[in-house]
Amino acid sequence: MDKKTALQRIQELRSKIAYHNRRYYQLDDPEIADAEYDELMQELVELERQYAEDIDISQSPSQRVGAPPLEKFEAATHFAPMLSLANGFSREDIIEFDDRLKRMSGSVVHISYVVEPKLDGVAVNLLYENGHFKTGATRGDGTVGENVTENLKTINSMPMKLNQGPGIPVPARIEVRGEVYIGIEPFRKLNRKRLQEGFALFANPRNAAAGSLRQLDSKITARRPLDIYCYAIGAVEALTFETHWEILETLKRWGFPVNPRAQCAPAIEDCIEYYLMIEKDRNTLPYEIDGIVIKVDSLALQSQLGTIARSPRWALACKFSATQATTVIRKIEVQVGRTGILTPVARMDPVQVGGVTVSRATLHNQDEIDRKNIREGDTVIIQRAGDVIPEVVKVIEACRTGNERRFAIPANCPACNSHVIRLTGEAAYRCVNLECPAQIKENIAHFSSRDAMDIDGLGEKLVAQMIDKKIIKDPADLYYLSLKTIAGLERMARKSAENLLESLEHSKKPGLERFIYALGIKRVGEQTAKILAGHFKTLDALMNADEEDLADIKGIGPRIAHSMVGFFSQPSNRHILQKLFDAGVVPLSASAGRESHLMPLRGKTFVLTGTLKNFTRDAATEIIESLGGHVTPSVTGNTDYIVAGTSPGSKLSKARTLNIAILDEDEFIRLIKH
Ligand code: IVH
């Protein structure tokens, strides 16, 4: 590239980045995938480095963090600036980072680091004076952020007052830095609720967190499942630390949630190992991350290395492969679900997203399609969170050619051709024909699925074939199939037919909760089924309960109660249940059936350390044992989890060196509740 072109490109990149900064930081409505943004920034930084002599970089977005604050909030100036992080994308980048630091510090020995997951949320600065929370702000442009104090106060896990006690210092003033986020499950729940209530869905947990934290009315914020992890301090008075790890430990003692996956990495190889491990675990974490952060542990070395432009030299954000990607929607299809709901699904050109190939995305319902203005033929940004079906984040309208086709949910069910209706108060269209083959297929597939009756060898295609051939029309019919009938189906060998009969036989004594879940009653998921089974113990008792009995149970609302009673009062459902009983299907009562799913911690070894707030050691041990796990006094290679209360002992450091999963009290509670 010649100089003239390069300088032009720099201008172009700067204005593009400034535009995207505004979309992301101010409007919470990004137009490009994070990875694409990172690419633009990388290119700009590289060009500015090459042509440093010919340009003024002081006003470049490469020198700034985020965007200036929105006008609607009061401005809050941080005592110490909030910096951003330099990015890396691979193991090589990590090694280069370490080499660079060794070179710059003249260090001959290795450098020790602390490694942490990089949460994808909103950075905040929390100011505490004499141990009390005073104000809190977003990062803004790094110097001045938005004062969101009242909204931050709605986050339960954030301390209003620092813990005090012997050996715990309380500084006159301290800035604590952290990331406000929404976990994946709370995010899905929030979006499900918005879908039902007809509100626009949040594109991802980060946008939901940003949008919630920047509400002018903190009553709205209070209803959003915001959470926080703290990972650094800013300005602090009359208190010194020697290492970053010591800061994290102190933050914990003060009562801040600190990510339990943070750990010491004595050498760069440990950082690489951690990077690979967290990338592998990424889909199992309860929150979204986009990489890890590597920080020099020694604060003396940190200050020696210093800061350039927008980021400290002593830290690196090492990103994972993107969970967003750009592709083209070829066709929009309609699927009929178990309860008759018509869901539009996009068929797309296959793309790699977060390590898997994706070619379908849910479009939720017609309202969502209209709101996002999605058409067949559109180029779109799609995204995957955890291991769920990907979603379309947005259409890139600049790619339109004019040949895109609008889409409307058909007036008739694509499976049975009966007229579809839209119930009042619902965003979805439904096929209400109870004999609709698509619904029956979904229903039977659900009944036999792994978490329900667990009938091995009964795939979707096979179910579809049996329904199309009118061999079965409800789940109970499965138990009346003969070897001859099954073996007569297409692509069915005698051996597989025998196996299927055997798994059907095996499935006849399910735990009560599985059985309840398998029935596919509206609003009754696994969690609800568990509560009902635990409460009623037998199916009989459950079938005889009235709406009032049900609604009185903790965790069961009036809508579930209504749906349960409605289900059991319907003659066709009673008939199917009777057919199941006649075939020898008997759900085991909740207390009798100590099956493996009732003992979720079976085979897991726990070690307890420190003081727990909500349990004595004996009580915690009893709970773990009642769920099938056991507790041992010391940490060994066989330990699966260490539960760390306040002032944990040396067991915790041992667990860290052995890479054992560490749970703080809240996480332990979540685990046992789960
Ligand atoms: S440290 C000077 N640690 O990433 C270092 N940041 O791209 C300040 N982030 O603004 C940040 N997890 O919003 C740090 N464990 C972590 C982080 C983290 C997420 C975010 C934070 C920061 C951005 C930098």
Side-chain angles (χ1 to χ4, degrees), residues 83-85 87 116-123 139 178-179 231-232 293 295 312 314-315 317:
L83 300 173
S84 183
L85 294 169
N87 285 331
E116 302 165 10
K118 184 174 183 301
L119 249 74
D120 206 4
V122 188
R139 183 169 65 177
E179 197 84 354
Y231 45 64
V293 184
K295 300 172 182 172
W314 45 264

Side-chain angles (χ1 to χ4, degrees), residues 82-136:
M82 290 180 78
L83 300 173
S84 183
L85 294 169
N87 285 331
F89 299 93
S90 63
R91 146 205 300 257
E92 288 68 35
D93 290 348
I94 298 178
I95 294 172
E96 205 184 296
F97 166 71
D98 181 61
D99 285 344
R100 187 165 61 237
L101 296 199
K102 280 194 193 131
R103 239 183 0 255
M104 292 184 67
S105 63
S107 168
V108 273
V109 289
H110 64 239
I111 300 176
S112 287
Y113 297 96
V114 170
V115 279
E116 302 165 10
K118 184 174 183 301
L119 249 74
D120 206 4
V122 188
V124 292
N125 185 29
L126 313 172
L127 178 67
Y128 288 78
E129 279 179 9
N130 301 315
H132 291 269
F133 176 59
K134 265 282 196 287
T135 56

Side-chain angles (χ1 to χ4, degrees), residues 355-431:
V356 295
T357 308
V358 155
S359 59
R360 278 159 28 102
T362 174
L363 302 177
H364 300 290
N365 58 38
Q366 185 70 43
D367 286 356
E368 265 302 283
I369 293 181
D370 296 344
R371 208 155 19 221
K372 291 181 180 158
N373 192 5
I374 297 170
R375 303 180 190 171
E376 287 179 330
D378 264 337
T379 303
V380 290
I381 297 180
I382 60 156
Q383 150 173 287
R384 244 179 102 234
D387 44 9
V388 292
I389 313 172
E391 293 179 317
V392 171
V393 179
K394 66 186 321 149
V395 173
I396 304 178
E397 296 196 1
C399 295
R400 287 229 165 116
T401 60
N403 293 328
E404 293 73 21
R405 295 168 305 279
R406 285 178 196 276
F407 171 85
I409 288 271
N412 293 74
C413 170
C416 68
N417 206 32
S418 57
H419 197 66
V420 303
I421 58 161
R422 186 175 193 165
L423 299 177
T424 39
E426 280 194 16
Y429 287 86
R430 274 174 198 277
C431 164

